[in-house]
Amino acid sequence: MKKLIIALTGIVYSFTSFSQAPYELPKLNYGYDAFVNNIDKETMQIHYEKHHAGYVSNLNKALEGKKFANLPLEVIVLNATHFDNAIRNNAGGHYNHTMFWTILTPEKNQKPSEKLLSAINNDFGNFENMLEKLNDAASKRFGSGWAWLIVTPDKKLAITSTPNQDNPIMDVEGPRGLPILGIDVWEHAYYLKYQNKRADYLKSIVDIINWNQVSKNYENALANPFLKEIEKDSWKELNNFHEIMAITFHSAEKGNFEPIRTRHMELAEKATALKQGTIPASFNNEVVKNAVEKLEQETQKMCKIASGKKVTDKQLMEQLEIVHKAFHDLSGSCEH
Ligand code: MN
C-alpha cells in the first residue's frame, strides 16, 4: 500500500465527478427509453439496474473494512492493478459506467466544442478519422471491454481499448491517461437488440454521443493534476526500484535485515536502471534529475556497505534510511 501513500502526497485533488465509498448508483438524466432506435429500453434497464448496480454493491462489499476505502475512486482505480480482482473489476465497472451514462444523450447531432475539435484535428487529422479509429479499437477488442478517447499526460488525445472493466487510468497496456469518452463493448451493452453484430451497435451509438459532455470532460482533464499522477505511475524504473526498496526497508524496520543482506545487488541494479532510463516529460527537470542521481549514489553506497563481511544491522539501517529518504525526496520532487 506504500504506492498509494506516495500517490497522495503533495497534491490536493479536486475530484468533482465521483464521490467516495460507500458508492451509489448515479442518477440517469434520461429514461430507459431515451434511445429506442439505438439502444432498446430493456437493455438500458438491465445494464443500469443489474450490471452497474452490481458493480456498485460489489465494490462497496470489497472495500468494507479496508483502510484505503475512503480514497477517491480515481485513486483506487489508479492503483487497481495492485488490488485483488474484486476491487479492480468493480471499481473499474463503477467508474466506467458512471462515465458511460453521461456521454450518451437523446439530443441529436451534437458536435464537439471548437477547442476539442481543434485538438481532434491536430491529433487525428479530422473528426471522421478519429471516429474511425475509435470504431476500430472498439470492434477489435476481443471479448469484453471498452474503447476510449483519452487525454494523455502530455495533453494530447489518444484512442485505446482495455479488456474487462479496466480503463486507461490503470496500469494497463497501451497509452494511459484520463478518459473523456468510453464505449462499452460488453455484450450486455447491445446483445438484446444487436445479438452478435457489434459493428451495428457501434455504428448506431455514435449518433447518441453527448459531445457537450465529452467537450467538458476534455477541459476538465486538461486542468486535472491527476494526469501527472498517471504519468508518474507509468514511470516503470521508479516503480521497479520502489518495489525492492519497500521490501528491504520495511522488513528492516521490523528488525528483519535478511532482505537487504540478500537483495542489495538487485536494489543497486534498479537504481542504475532508473538513472539510465528516461524521466517522464513532466518531471524532466534539474531537481528531479539531481534526485535520481542522489538516489543512485546512495543506493550504490548501500550496496557496498551490505557487501561488507562484518556489517552490523545498525550500519545497514543507517544507510537504508538515507536511501529511503532519497527515494521520497525524488518522489516528492515530482509533485512540484
Ligand atoms: Mn456495461
Side-chain angles (χ1 to χ4, degrees):
M1 287 323 306
K2 275 289 143 190
K3 214 180 158 89
L4 271 186
I5 294 156
I6 287 161
L8 287 171
T9 49
I11 294 184
V12 179
Y13 297 111
S14 52
F15 293 110
T16 49
S17 42
F18 300 100
S19 57
Q20 293 179 342
Y23 293 99
E24 286 172 17
L25 255 187
K27 295 234 169 353
L28 297 183
N29 292 326
Y30 40 72
Y32 296 135
D33 58 355
F35 314 112
V36 282
N37 294 323
N38 311 73
I39 306 171
D40 60 283
K41 189 178 168 185
E42 203 183 355
T43 295
M44 285 300 293
Q45 184 165 4
I46 295 171
H47 200 172
Y48 177 78
E49 288 182 10
K50 304 289 181 201
H51 292 280
H52 190 173
Y55 299 125
V56 171
S57 76
N58 289 329
L59 176 60
N60 288 334
K61 255 182 249 161
L63 289 175
E64 237 171 74
K66 297 279 197 315
K67 269 191 206 156
F68 53 86
N70 289 330
L71 293 174
L73 184 59
E74 281 93 336
V75 178
I76 293 177
V77 168
L78 177 71
N79 292 279
T81 54
H82 306 287
F83 297 133
D84 60 45
N85 280 340
I87 293 178
R88 177 178 182 160
N89 292 336
N90 293 300
H94 179 41
Y95 182 96
N96 298 348
H97 287 85
T98 300
M99 157 166 285
F100 184 63
W101 307 127
T102 65
I103 59 94
L104 301 178
T105 177
E107 260 179 59
K108 297 280 174 196
N109 300 317
Q110 279 198 7
K111 293 276 175 275
S113 68
E114 254 176 61
K115 191 171 173 185
L116 176 56
L117 189 60
S118 131
I120 288 171
N121 290 339
N122 273 332
D123 295 329
F124 302 101
N126 58 51
F127 185 69
E128 284 68 33
N129 278 349
M130 185 277 297
L131 280 187
E132 205 176 301
K133 276 196 99 175
L134 184 65
N135 185 69
D136 205 48
S139 35
K140 285 183 180 156
R141 166 52 48 199
F142 183 77
S144 300
W146 291 76
W148 305 98
L149 178 61
I150 66 171
V151 175
T152 55
D154 58 357
K155 312 264 166 107
K156 290 205 160 61
L157 292 168
I159 283 181
T160 185
S161 91
T162 53
N164 307 315
Q165 293 298 353
D166 286 357
N167 69 45
I169 294 174
M170 296 179 188
D171 185 8
V172 290
E173 294 289 314
R176 292 175 64 187
L178 280 169
I180 62 170
L181 162 64
I183 305 215
D184 191 343
V185 297
W186 282 59
E187 282 188 345
H188 70 222
Y190 62 86
Y191 200 82
L192 294 181
K193 187 176 170 80
Y194 297 96
Q195 287 85 47
N196 60 334
K197 295 180 284 266
R198 189 190 280 183
D200 292 351
Y201 156 72
L202 292 174
K203 210 171 154 193
S204 182
I205 203 165
V206 165
D207 294 337
I208 52 170
I209 288 179
N210 187 342
W211 286 106
N212 293 341
Q213 185 60 47
V214 178
S215 302
K216 270 186 216 157
N217 293 347
Y218 176 61
E219 293 280 345
N220 290 340
L222 288 179
N224 195 338
F226 197 62
L227 266 183
K228 270 197 168 188
E229 287 301 311
I230 299 172
E231 186 174 19
K232 192 171 158 195
D233 195 68
S234 314
W235 190 355
K236 297 277 182 232
E237 291 89 354
L238 187 69
N239 291 338
N240 292 343
F241 179 87
H242 183 217
E243 195 189 326
I244 311 296
M245 195 206 63
I247 295 163
T248 52
F249 180 72
H250 295 298
S251 301
E253 274 185 317
K254 289 177 199 142
N256 175 11
F257 289 84
E258 194 54 27
I260 189 61
R261 284 181 188 275
T262 53
R263 301 185 77 170
H264 58 270
M265 290 287 286
E266 206 181 335
L267 192 66
E269 279 162 24
K270 303 292 180 204
T272 305
L274 181 61
K275 190 183 154 189
Q276 289 171 348
T278 308
I279 299 172
S282 301
F283 314 125
N284 201 352
N285 58 53
E286 284 309 306
V287 178
V288 173
K289 266 187 219 163
N290 291 339
V292 169
E293 195 88 17
K294 164 103 172 138
L295 179 62
E296 204 263 347
Q297 283 166 8
E298 294 299 344
T299 308
Q300 296 306 343
K301 209 169 151 193
M302 175 83 255
C303 193
K304 218 169 164 189
I305 290 171
S307 316
K309 277 194 181 124
K310 287 180 181 167
V311 61
T312 63
D313 288 352
K314 187 168 173 279
Q315 287 168 319
L316 287 172
M317 196 66 219
E318 270 170 17
Q319 185 60 21
L320 252 183
E321 269 169 356
I322 293 170
V323 171
H324 184 250
K325 185 179 179 302
F327 174 79
H328 282 282
D329 287 346
L330 166 58
S331 187
S333 65
C334 296
E335 311 292 355
H336 304 295

